[in-house]
Amino acid sequence: MMSLAILGVFIPTFFFVSITPGMCMTLALSLGMSIGYKRTLWMMLGEIIGIGLVSTAAIIGVASIINSYPWLFTIFKFIGATYLLYLGVMMLQSKGKLAIGIEKNNAKTQDNKALFIQGFITAIANPKGWAFMISLLPPFINNEQPLAQQMLILVAIILTFEFICMSLYAAGGKGLKHLLASTDNVRLINRISGSLMLGVGVWLILS
């Protein structure tokens, strides 16, 4: 069983990681506004499975590989940061897949399978998720205790936080739907989301 001291540090740390805006949370917010919370659950299911794979990979060995080759992590970090900066610029211009459509009839209808795949790919391709998992998960692993038990507990906590935080973003998006009827308000939320993306990208470069 994991010590209470480790869990006492792990739980608030990863809640903060989950609640901070990023690709998955921005997607949950956008879909919550456009299709509602209930249908956004399909995207969230795909994201949960994807982040589960990412966190599991970090625990069972990806971290040790990256730590053995610091230059590889640096390259990965800058690629991820560049991608986030690109997304941020696109959202500031109300363009790209994550931006909320300005025109009411330009929103594409997606079936549940497409939403699931979108969530899964977003989680797998999320550089912020990989960076946090690779850098933050290994310190909480005790080599003197069974790895499977620790992995089960840590991944369960991570996925619970991810679901709660995405639900907060998606439910908030649904509530904001009626407030974003005007083009100016839609542009504003895109600019806010884009600015957050740019902030995460700059943080990755500077960290």
Side-chain angles (χ1 to χ4, degrees):
M1 188 68 181
M2 297 187 66
S3 71
L4 294 178
I6 291 178
L7 290 176
V9 176
F10 179 82
I11 289 175
T13 297
F14 272 81
F15 179 77
F16 175 77
V17 168
S18 295
I19 200 67
T20 52
M23 292 175 63
C24 295
M25 297 304 157
T26 302
L27 180 59
L29 177 65
S30 299
L31 290 178
M33 281 187 285
S34 60
I35 64 176
Y37 175 77
K38 191 172 182 179
R39 291 207 61 217
T40 303
L41 285 170
W42 286 99
M43 182 283 296
M44 292 165 59
L45 177 61
E47 195 273 346
I48 288 294
I49 293 176
I51 204 68
L53 293 176
V54 171
S55 56
T56 300
I59 292 174
I60 63 177
V62 172
S64 61
I65 296 175
I66 297 296
N67 288 334
S68 299
Y69 303 95
W71 58 269
L72 185 60
F73 178 73
T74 301
I75 292 174
F76 171 81
K77 182 176 70 172
F78 276 97
I79 291 175
T82 301
Y83 181 58
L84 283 177
L85 293 174
Y86 166 77
L87 288 176
V89 171
M90 293 296 289
M91 293 188 72
L92 287 176
Q93 299 174 353
S94 293
K95 297 178 181 179
K97 293 182 178 180
L98 293 184
I100 306 165
I102 293 177
E103 301 173 4
K104 291 183 181 179
N105 44 0
N106 74 340
K108 298 180 180 178
T109 302
Q110 299 185 76
D111 59 23
N112 295 337
K113 180 180 179 181
L115 290 169
F116 175 88
I117 293 174
Q118 186 178 20
F120 179 79
I121 293 177
T122 301
I124 293 295
N126 184 0
K128 172 197 167 188
W130 280 100
F132 274 123
M133 295 301 175
I134 290 171
S135 60
L136 294 181
L137 264 178
F140 293 99
I141 301 298
N142 187 343
N143 293 329
E144 298 179 358
Q145 295 183 0
L147 179 62
Q149 183 188 65
Q150 297 179 80
M151 183 169 62
L152 180 63
I153 295 173
L154 296 179
V155 172
I157 292 173
I158 291 169
L159 299 188
T160 299
F161 283 159
E162 283 290 307
F163 178 77
I164 291 173
C165 294
M166 280 194 297
S167 292
L168 292 174
Y169 275 81
K174 184 178 181 181
L176 290 171
K177 182 177 181 180
H178 299 294
L179 298 177
L180 298 177
S182 72
T183 298
D184 288 340
N185 288 339
V186 172
R187 285 200 179 101
L188 176 61
I189 193 66
N190 281 336
R191 287 169 182 169
I192 292 173
S193 299
S195 298
L196 292 171
M197 288 283 188
L198 290 172
V200 175
V202 171
W203 174 82
L204 277 175
I205 292 175
L206 298 178
S207 62

PDB file of all heavy atoms in Angstrom, residues 53-73:
ATOM      1  N   LEU A  53      -3.270   5.469 -20.946  1.00  0.00           N
ATOM      2  CA  LEU A  53      -2.138   4.857 -21.639  1.00  0.00           C
ATOM      3  C   LEU A  53      -0.870   5.685 -21.457  1.00  0.00           C
ATOM      4  O   LEU A  53       0.221   5.143 -21.253  1.00  0.00           O
ATOM      5  CB  LEU A  53      -2.466   4.696 -23.129  1.00  0.00           C
ATOM      6  CG  LEU A  53      -3.561   3.698 -23.483  1.00  0.00           C
ATOM      7  CD1 LEU A  53      -3.844   3.732 -24.982  1.00  0.00           C
ATOM      8  CD2 LEU A  53      -3.157   2.286 -23.053  1.00  0.00           C
ATOM      9  N   VAL A  54      -1.014   7.005 -21.539  1.00  0.00           N
ATOM     10  CA  VAL A  54       0.149   7.888 -21.377  1.00  0.00           C
ATOM     11  C   VAL A  54       0.750   7.747 -19.982  1.00  0.00           C
ATOM     12  O   VAL A  54       1.965   7.599 -19.817  1.00  0.00           O
ATOM     13  CB  VAL A  54      -0.252   9.355 -21.640  1.00  0.00           C
ATOM     14  CG1 VAL A  54       0.889  10.303 -21.272  1.00  0.00           C
ATOM     15  CG2 VAL A  54      -0.630   9.555 -23.103  1.00  0.00           C
ATOM     16  N   SER A  55      -0.113   7.791 -18.955  1.00  0.00           N
ATOM     17  CA  SER A  55       0.394   7.696 -17.580  1.00  0.00           C
ATOM     18  C   SER A  55       0.983   6.323 -17.299  1.00  0.00           C
ATOM     19  O   SER A  55       2.011   6.202 -16.619  1.00  0.00           O
ATOM     20  CB  SER A  55      -0.725   8.016 -16.581  1.00  0.00           C
ATOM     21  OG  SER A  55      -1.844   7.169 -16.776  1.00  0.00           O
ATOM     22  N   THR A  56       0.369   5.272 -17.833  1.00  0.00           N
ATOM     23  CA  THR A  56       0.904   3.922 -17.641  1.00  0.00           C
ATOM     24  C   THR A  56       2.266   3.774 -18.298  1.00  0.00           C
ATOM     25  O   THR A  56       3.194   3.193 -17.727  1.00  0.00           O
ATOM     26  CB  THR A  56      -0.067   2.877 -18.214  1.00  0.00           C
ATOM     27  OG1 THR A  56      -1.326   2.988 -17.542  1.00  0.00           O
ATOM     28  CG2 THR A  56       0.480   1.471 -18.034  1.00  0.00           C
ATOM     29  N   ALA A  57       2.398   4.315 -19.521  1.00  0.00           N
ATOM     30  CA  ALA A  57       3.681   4.257 -20.226  1.00  0.00           C
ATOM     31  C   ALA A  57       4.762   4.979 -19.444  1.00  0.00           C
ATOM     32  O   ALA A  57       5.909   4.512 -19.358  1.00  0.00           O
ATOM     33  CB  ALA A  57       3.536   4.867 -21.621  1.00  0.00           C
ATOM     34  N   ALA A  58       4.405   6.122 -18.843  1.00  0.00           N
ATOM     35  CA  ALA A  58       5.392   6.880 -18.057  1.00  0.00           C
ATOM     36  C   ALA A  58       5.849   6.078 -16.854  1.00  0.00           C
ATOM     37  O   ALA A  58       7.034   6.059 -16.514  1.00  0.00           O
ATOM     38  CB  ALA A  58       4.783   8.214 -17.610  1.00  0.00           C
ATOM     39  N   ILE A  59       4.916   5.390 -16.224  1.00  0.00           N
ATOM     40  CA  ILE A  59       5.251   4.640 -15.019  1.00  0.00           C
ATOM     41  C   ILE A  59       6.149   3.448 -15.328  1.00  0.00           C
ATOM     42  O   ILE A  59       7.098   3.164 -14.607  1.00  0.00           O
ATOM     43  CB  ILE A  59       3.967   4.170 -14.304  1.00  0.00           C
ATOM     44  CG1 ILE A  59       3.220   5.377 -13.726  1.00  0.00           C
ATOM     45  CG2 ILE A  59       4.285   3.182 -13.183  1.00  0.00           C
ATOM     46  CD1 ILE A  59       1.871   5.051 -13.132  1.00  0.00           C
ATOM     47  N   ILE A  60       5.871   2.728 -16.406  1.00  0.00           N
ATOM     48  CA  ILE A  60       6.574   1.470 -16.658  1.00  0.00           C
ATOM     49  C   ILE A  60       7.883   1.626 -17.433  1.00  0.00           C
ATOM     50  O   ILE A  60       8.529   0.655 -17.764  1.00  0.00           O
ATOM     51  CB  ILE A  60       5.675   0.462 -17.391  1.00  0.00           C
ATOM     52  CG1 ILE A  60       5.271   0.972 -18.770  1.00  0.00           C
ATOM     53  CG2 ILE A  60       4.467   0.127 -16.566  1.00  0.00           C
ATOM     54  CD1 ILE A  60       4.444  -0.021 -19.577  1.00  0.00           C
ATOM     55  N   GLY A  61       8.281   2.837 -17.764  1.00  0.00           N
ATOM     56  CA  GLY A  61       9.603   2.911 -18.362  1.00  0.00           C
ATOM     57  C   GLY A  61       9.927   4.070 -19.270  1.00  0.00           C
ATOM     58  O   GLY A  61      11.101   4.321 -19.528  1.00  0.00           O
ATOM     59  N   VAL A  62       8.925   4.782 -19.775  1.00  0.00           N
ATOM     60  CA  VAL A  62       9.225   5.873 -20.689  1.00  0.00           C
ATOM     61  C   VAL A  62      10.090   6.922 -20.008  1.00  0.00           C
ATOM     62  O   VAL A  62      11.008   7.480 -20.602  1.00  0.00           O
ATOM     63  CB  VAL A  62       7.925   6.503 -21.230  1.00  0.00           C
ATOM     64  CG1 VAL A  62       8.217   7.762 -22.021  1.00  0.00           C
ATOM     65  CG2 VAL A  62       7.181   5.503 -22.101  1.00  0.00           C
ATOM     66  N   ALA A  63       9.797   7.191 -18.731  1.00  0.00           N
ATOM     67  CA  ALA A  63      10.553   8.204 -18.006  1.00  0.00           C
ATOM     68  C   ALA A  63      12.039   7.872 -17.956  1.00  0.00           C
ATOM     69  O   ALA A  63      12.886   8.750 -18.148  1.00  0.00           O
ATOM     70  CB  ALA A  63       9.996   8.353 -16.597  1.00  0.00           C
ATOM     71  N   SER A  64      12.373   6.616 -17.693  1.00  0.00           N
ATOM     72  CA  SER A  64      13.783   6.238 -17.593  1.00  0.00           C
ATOM     73  C   SER A  64      14.499   6.401 -18.929  1.00  0.00           C
ATOM     74  O   SER A  64      15.676   6.785 -18.975  1.00  0.00           O
ATOM     75  CB  SER A  64      13.899   4.788 -17.110  1.00  0.00           C
ATOM     76  OG  SER A  64      13.287   3.901 -18.026  1.00  0.00           O
ATOM     77  N   ILE A  65      13.785   6.124 -20.029  1.00  0.00           N
ATOM     78  CA  ILE A  65      14.384   6.274 -21.355  1.00  0.00           C
ATOM     79  C   ILE A  65      14.673   7.743 -21.639  1.00  0.00           C
ATOM     80  O   ILE A  65      15.763   8.112 -22.078  1.00  0.00           O
ATOM     81  CB  ILE A  65      13.458   5.687 -22.433  1.00  0.00           C
ATOM     82  CG1 ILE A  65      13.297   4.180 -22.223  1.00  0.00           C
ATOM     83  CG2 ILE A  65      14.000   5.983 -23.832  1.00  0.00           C
ATOM     84  CD1 ILE A  65      12.297   3.531 -23.164  1.00  0.00           C
ATOM     85  N   ILE A  66      13.660   8.597 -21.390  1.00  0.00           N
ATOM     86  CA  ILE A  66      13.840  10.019 -21.644  1.00  0.00           C
ATOM     87  C   ILE A  66      14.925  10.602 -20.744  1.00  0.00           C
ATOM     88  O   ILE A  66      15.739  11.416 -21.171  1.00  0.00           O
ATOM     89  CB  ILE A  66      12.512  10.770 -21.422  1.00  0.00           C
ATOM     90  CG1 ILE A  66      11.457  10.273 -22.423  1.00  0.00           C
ATOM     91  CG2 ILE A  66      12.704  12.273 -21.567  1.00  0.00           C
ATOM     92  CD1 ILE A  66      11.787  10.547 -23.867  1.00  0.00           C
ATOM     93  N   ASN A  67      14.959  10.177 -19.481  1.00  0.00           N
ATOM     94  CA  ASN A  67      15.947  10.698 -18.544  1.00  0.00           C
ATOM     95  C   ASN A  67      17.366  10.285 -18.936  1.00  0.00           C
ATOM     96  O   ASN A  67      18.333  10.965 -18.596  1.00  0.00           O
ATOM     97  CB  ASN A  67      15.640  10.210 -17.124  1.00  0.00           C
ATOM     98  CG  ASN A  67      14.405  10.886 -16.540  1.00  0.00           C
ATOM     99  OD1 ASN A  67      14.066  11.996 -16.928  1.00  0.00           O
ATOM    100  ND2 ASN A  67      13.726  10.213 -15.626  1.00  0.00           N
ATOM    101  N   SER A  68      17.494   9.163 -19.654  1.00  0.00           N
ATOM    102  CA  SER A  68      18.811   8.706 -20.101  1.00  0.00           C
ATOM    103  C   SER A  68      19.318   9.528 -21.287  1.00  0.00           C
ATOM    104  O   SER A  68      20.514   9.543 -21.565  1.00  0.00           O
ATOM    105  CB  SER A  68      18.749   7.226 -20.493  1.00  0.00           C
ATOM    106  OG  SER A  68      18.375   6.422 -19.392  1.00  0.00           O
ATOM    107  N   TYR A  69      18.395  10.180 -21.983  1.00  0.00           N
ATOM    108  CA  TYR A  69      18.751  10.977 -23.157  1.00  0.00           C
ATOM    109  C   TYR A  69      18.109  12.357 -23.033  1.00  0.00           C
ATOM    110  O   TYR A  69      17.072  12.636 -23.646  1.00  0.00           O
ATOM    111  CB  TYR A  69      18.289  10.294 -24.440  1.00  0.00           C
ATOM    112  CG  TYR A  69      18.844   8.898 -24.614  1.00  0.00           C
ATOM    113  CD1 TYR A  69      18.104   7.783 -24.207  1.00  0.00           C
ATOM    114  CD2 TYR A  69      20.106   8.692 -25.168  1.00  0.00           C
ATOM    115  CE1 TYR A  69      18.615   6.501 -24.366  1.00  0.00           C
ATOM    116  CE2 TYR A  69      20.619   7.410 -25.318  1.00  0.00           C
ATOM    117  CZ  TYR A  69      19.866   6.320 -24.917  1.00  0.00           C
ATOM    118  OH  TYR A  69      20.363   5.050 -25.064  1.00  0.00           O
ATOM    119  N   PRO A  70      18.711  13.235 -22.239  1.00  0.00           N
ATOM    120  CA  PRO A  70      18.133  14.565 -22.015  1.00  0.00           C
ATOM    121  C   PRO A  70      17.881  15.344 -23.303  1.00  0.00           C
ATOM    122  O   PRO A  70      16.916  16.103 -23.399  1.00  0.00           O
ATOM    123  CB  PRO A  70      19.192  15.266 -21.154  1.00  0.00           C
ATOM    124  CG  PRO A  70      19.941  14.149 -20.502  1.00  0.00           C
ATOM    125  CD  PRO A  70      19.956  13.035 -21.494  1.00  0.00           C
ATOM    126  N   TRP A  71      18.752  15.151 -24.308  1.00  0.00           N
ATOM    127  CA  TRP A  71      18.588  15.871 -25.568  1.00  0.00           C
ATOM    128  C   TRP A  71      17.281  15.483 -26.268  1.00  0.00           C
ATOM    129  O   TRP A  71      16.652  16.305 -26.937  1.00  0.00           O
ATOM    130  CB  TRP A  71      19.776  15.593 -26.493  1.00  0.00           C
ATOM    131  CG  TRP A  71      19.985  14.131 -26.805  1.00  0.00           C
ATOM    132  CD1 TRP A  71      20.765  13.253 -26.111  1.00  0.00           C
ATOM    133  CD2 TRP A  71      19.389  13.388 -27.868  1.00  0.00           C
ATOM    134  NE1 TRP A  71      20.705  12.000 -26.677  1.00  0.00           N
ATOM    135  CE2 TRP A  71      19.873  12.058 -27.760  1.00  0.00           C
ATOM    136  CE3 TRP A  71      18.526  13.707 -28.910  1.00  0.00           C
ATOM    137  CZ2 TRP A  71      19.490  11.058 -28.654  1.00  0.00           C
ATOM    138  CZ3 TRP A  71      18.135  12.717 -29.805  1.00  0.00           C
ATOM    139  CH2 TRP A  71      18.623  11.407 -29.669  1.00  0.00           C
ATOM    140  N   LEU A  72      16.873  14.206 -26.074  1.00  0.00           N
ATOM    141  CA  LEU A  72      15.632  13.749 -26.686  1.00  0.00           C
ATOM    142  C   LEU A  72      14.434  14.437 -26.037  1.00  0.00           C
ATOM    143  O   LEU A  72      13.478  14.838 -26.717  1.00  0.00           O
ATOM    144  CB  LEU A  72      15.516  12.225 -26.547  1.00  0.00           C
ATOM    145  CG  LEU A  72      14.330  11.555 -27.242  1.00  0.00           C
ATOM    146  CD1 LEU A  72      14.366  11.812 -28.737  1.00  0.00           C
ATOM    147  CD2 LEU A  72      14.341  10.052 -26.970  1.00  0.00           C
ATOM    148  N   PHE A  73      14.497  14.583 -24.713  1.00  0.00           N
ATOM    149  CA  PHE A  73      13.413  15.269 -24.020  1.00  0.00           C
ATOM    150  C   PHE A  73      13.347  16.735 -24.445  1.00  0.00           C
ATOM    151  O   PHE A  73      12.261  17.300 -24.604  1.00  0.00           O
ATOM    152  CB  PHE A  73      13.604  15.185 -22.504  1.00  0.00           C
ATOM    153  CG  PHE A  73      12.552  15.916 -21.725  1.00  0.00           C
ATOM    154  CD1 PHE A  73      11.270  15.414 -21.621  1.00  0.00           C
ATOM    155  CD2 PHE A  73      12.836  17.127 -21.121  1.00  0.00           C
ATOM    156  CE1 PHE A  73      10.293  16.083 -20.909  1.00  0.00           C
ATOM    157  CE2 PHE A  73      11.864  17.810 -20.415  1.00  0.00           C
ATOM    158  CZ  PHE A  73      10.585  17.286 -20.309  1.00  0.00           C
TER     159      PHE A  73
END
